[in-house]
Amino acid sequence: MTDAYAPLGEHDVLIGTGPVSVADVVAVARHGRRVALDPIALKEVEASRARIEALAVDAEPHYGISTGFGALATTFIAPEARTQLQRSLVRSHAAGSGPTVEDEVVRALMLLRLSTLMTGRTGVRPTTAQAYADLLNAHLTPVVHEYGSLGCSGDLAPLSHCALAVMGEGVVRTREGVELPAAQALTEAGLQPVVLAEKEGLALINGTDGMLGQLALALHDLTNLFSVADVAAAMSVEGLLGSDAVFAVDLHQLRPHDGQGIAAGNMRRLLAGSPIVASHQGPECTRVQDAYSLRCAPQVHGAGRDTLAHADAVAARELASAIDNPVVTPDGRVESNGNFHGAPVAYALDFLAIAVADLASISERRTDRFLDPARNQGLPAFLAHDAGVDSGLMIAQYTAAGIVSELKRLANPASVDSIPSSAMQEDHVSMGWAAARKLRKAVDGLTRVLAIEILTSSRALDLRAPLTAAPATAAVLAVVREHVPGPGPDRFLTPEIDAVVQLIASGAVTRAARSQVDLD
């Protein structure tokens, strides 16, 4: 049996009254890291539970403890019916539909709900918090569906599917991806289903954990992708015989946006010592200015980085939050509130989708320049081995263009929409879950667009021989060539694009660049 109370292991993530980090979310959600419960925090959990139990026997009704929910908040529930009340709440709210959600998203959601339970502000029993830790440690992932959350009163349906599994109902997936009835999976793992007591059903489903978990995963992935974008842009500047003079420190100090300075510094270091760049810096070079997609890369990449920094600040505040309704305050009051509204997270998710779309857009434009002999500074059309017989990378650019077009649609904000529910009690909602779902798709699209730019610029750098690339970009080119052959007759391109996608996602591209220079 998984034991959340076991001594903290060397690699366990400790869940206490304080926030977990984005790195903790990634470790547990994506890499299956164990969790352990802080004994000190469990004392807080016990104390808040005692307050709930005192109110449960009060003759005066208290919302979520001795009443119904939402539009039924004024309906008093007799003590003998309250277990059924909690069970009915979870069952009725587990109403998701559509494709199933990725396991890492569900695990992130569960971790963040557990983190809130451990703040001692929700009134659950310690055994209920342990049940969430046990499910994570057993790597039993509740099956959650794409549709069902409006992002207000929290991510109700996704969280309810998780609570249902803890009750021994619904469906879970094993580490191997096998779907089993929750009751069977719990038994095989040596776990007992939870019988929910007063207030616990609400505490398990009132939170922004689904949208926040996806924001945390996106922040992790985009931190890597912004560095990859600088690498790709530097390779394109080099391959297109662009100038590195526009990345000079003093020029960017004239417009001191933090992200812009970081991107310019990265590109300056990536291009340092490039024989290709040096080859066209003499007086014989007649070009005055590069195209915007080259010259303005730090401005666009930098604005995206600043957007990422804003979203990171929002996530940090949300990770430190205790979101529930009603909530047990530190002085023992049990108060209704509106902290479950997902607007702060939804706005950040939508803002990031805009930055992702624009970063992909400028990348695709650089890819396109390589394929046009009127703009690629002496390279063959479409970088083809035998133009006319071979199409080269023509359709790879089509793929990038199609993705960029999709990313522009995904940049349309979900958070500007609202649709009333619960008999007009929940008359304004955040749509934060929808914002999170589209951002996940956008992050995947950006990865593929950047992969196509690196695939294209790598071929261009090879075609510049005998001139060689800068040490940093040459290191990236060498890693690409370990998985993708150099220029030659047309080949099946999908595996080559996918290989570079994996190099980006694994961090191999940025590791190669960092083997030669520092990247911020």
Side-chain angles (χ1 to χ4, degrees), residues 482-496:
E482 291 175 7
H483 301 271
V484 177
D490 281 354
R491 303 183 295 264
F492 181 23
L493 280 178
T494 293
E496 300 190 2

Side-chain angles (χ1 to χ4, degrees), residues 91-234:
R91 286 173 174 170
S92 64
H93 285 52
S97 186
T100 60
V101 174
E102 307 89 343
D103 283 4
E104 68 173 28
V105 170
V106 181
R107 288 179 59 80
L109 176 158
M110 291 187 66
L111 173 69
L112 294 174
R113 196 68 224 148
L114 175 59
S115 180
T116 289
L117 299 180
M118 290 297 290
T119 63
R121 306 275 67 85
T122 70
V124 300
R125 295 165 297 166
T127 52
T128 302
Q130 180 185 355
Y132 269 63
D134 285 347
L135 211 62
L136 285 166
N137 289 342
H139 216 290
L140 297 176
T141 304
V143 171
V144 172
H145 298 273
E146 185 84 22
Y147 305 111
S149 175
L150 299 180
C152 199
S153 283
D155 291 313
L156 285 174
L159 283 162
S160 295
H161 281 274
C162 295
L164 194 68
V166 170
M167 291 165 46
E169 302 182 25
V171 181
V172 299
R173 268 195 295 265
T174 66
R175 185 190 296 269
E176 296 73 30
V178 178
E179 292 191 3
L180 295 173
Q184 176 186 341
L186 290 178
T187 298
E188 292 178 357
L191 303 176
Q192 295 294 320
V194 173
V195 178
L196 299 179
E198 294 95 342
K199 173 69 173 65
E200 290 191 312
L202 273 179
L204 297 184
I205 69 174
N206 257 295
T208 58
D209 309 285
M211 62 185 91
L212 177 60
Q214 290 173 88
L215 175 58
L217 292 168
L219 289 170
H220 174 271
D221 294 341
L222 288 172
T223 298
N224 173 52
L225 289 178
F226 274 97
S227 295
V228 171
D230 293 341
V231 171

Side-chain angles (χ1 to χ4, degrees), residues 26 63-64 69 96 106 108 120 165 171 221 247 271 332 335 374 380 391 398 401 429 515:
V26 174
Y63 175 66
F69 311 113
V106 181
V171 181
D221 294 341
F247 309 132
L271 291 168
E335 298 285 358
S391 296
Y398 281 35
V429 297
S515 72

Side-chain angles (χ1 to χ4, degrees), residues 13-39:
V13 172
L14 183 65
I15 312 298
T17 56
V20 295
S21 66
V22 168
D24 291 334
V25 174
V26 174
V28 174
R30 185 169 289 171
H31 302 300
R33 187 77 58 82
R34 277 178 45 89
V35 299
L37 303 185
D38 183 354

